[in-house]
Amino acid sequence: MTLTGMAVEHPVLAALLATTFTWAMTAAGASSVFFTRRTMAEAGANVLLGFAAGVMLAASFWSLLSPALELGANGDWGETFGFIPAVAGFLLGAAFLRYAHALVPHLHYFANVSDGPPSKLKRTTLLVFAMTLHNIPEGLAVGVAFGAVAAGAPEAGAAALALGIAIQNIPEGAVISLPLHAEGMSRRRAFLWGQGSALVEPLAGVVGAAAVAFMTPILPYTLGFAAGAMIYVVVEEVIPESQTGKHGDLGTLALVAGFAVMMVLDVAFG
């Protein structure tokens, strides 16, 4: 049985496998610390972060918001008010991430800005916290997508979303492990922390899939919630980091490329 076929009968297990794959791609990216120089070039960081932002933006619409709007229009709200579940979920998702960012101290590494409550934690720890917050909506989005398959959503769309998140997780792993090594951490520890920042993805994925599988009527709300959380992270964290320094234009071009890649994946698979 394929992963997408499994999603129909066992959506939570399918979500767990899919998000384990996205975590593994983060680990693959983090392993670059064993093969590259000690620091990451500013231009390289702009490109990697910009690409990740583009993928997340495209996934938020094609894989999450668009299905949420369609489900709402075909549900109890009707075509006139079918936008309500998607919009409500979207706003709640953004509010959830805003609250999480306010509670958890973290570091915008390349912009060299600390956020959240005052903290005496090390810069390396704050960086890991930032990337962990970043990975929660990604795992949630994949989990909700596979949960939606069990409710009748296209199987290929969930696979496309998982693949897109996995692709952008490769540079994300490098974006965290290389700066950790540059801060003085050993290569081995930098790798462990880099891949560890994505361990929340399987957990969030299982939660998202279980919520949808056992409470199907909330599907358009959960799809919107995942999209709102992703958009908040992109605007708050990823895009500003991709625009630091003298090579912000490279980050913008990479964002366009990432958006196009995710758009192609979703249309081709879906």
Side-chain angles (χ1 to χ4, degrees):
M1 179 183 291
T2 63
L3 179 60
T4 50
M6 182 186 298
V8 178
E9 298 181 18
H10 307 287
V12 175
L13 178 58
L16 176 61
L17 293 176
T19 49
T20 298
F21 172 62
T22 61
W23 159 80
M25 293 302 97
T26 303
S31 69
S32 63
V33 73
F34 295 114
F35 312 108
T36 59
R37 61 185 184 177
R38 189 177 181 86
T39 59
M40 173 178 283
E42 180 184 275
N46 291 143
V47 169
L48 295 180
L49 288 164
F51 183 85
V55 169
M56 293 174 73
L57 284 174
S60 296
F61 177 74
W62 270 281
S63 298
L64 299 171
L65 280 178
S66 182
L69 290 168
E70 183 177 351
L71 285 167
N74 293 330
D76 295 337
W77 291 97
E79 292 188 3
T80 303
F81 298 103
F83 63 89
I84 290 178
V87 172
F90 184 85
L91 295 175
L92 286 172
F96 170 77
L97 258 293
R98 173 66 185 90
Y99 189 63
H101 275 71
L103 287 180
V104 179
H106 55 284
L107 175 68
H108 301 244
Y109 183 84
F110 295 99
N112 196 29
V113 176
S114 295
D115 205 353
S119 173
K120 295 182 180 180
L121 294 172
K122 294 181 180 179
R123 281 169 53 85
T124 53
T125 304
L126 294 175
L127 175 59
V128 172
F129 281 178
M131 293 306 293
T132 300
L133 286 171
H134 182 162
N135 284 315
I136 290 174
E138 294 179 6
L140 182 64
V142 174
V144 168
F146 276 93
V149 173
E155 298 178 5
L161 176 60
L163 181 58
I165 295 296
I167 290 171
Q168 62 101 37
N169 273 2
I170 297 174
E172 278 188 8
V175 164
I176 186 169
S177 65
L178 292 177
L180 287 175
H181 185 47
E183 292 281 330
M185 189 177 287
S186 70
R187 293 182 189 274
R188 179 176 176 274
R189 288 191 63 204
F191 165 75
L192 291 175
W193 280 105
Q195 61 83 30
S197 68
L199 287 174
V200 294
E201 288 195 7
L203 176 61
V206 166
V207 170
V212 172
F214 295 108
M215 294 179 286
T216 303
I218 70 168
L219 179 54
Y221 296 92
T222 53
L223 287 167
F225 185 95
M230 287 248 282
I231 293 292
Y232 185 91
V233 166
V234 170
V235 176
E236 172 73 9
E237 300 278 352
V238 189
I239 290 178
E241 291 271 22
S242 73
Q243 296 297 309
T244 56
K246 298 179 293 184
H247 303 285
D249 57 332
L250 294 179
T252 302
L253 292 173
L255 186 152
V256 173
F259 193 99
V261 166
M262 186 63 223
M263 180 168 54
V264 169
L265 284 175
D266 196 83
V267 174
F269 276 72

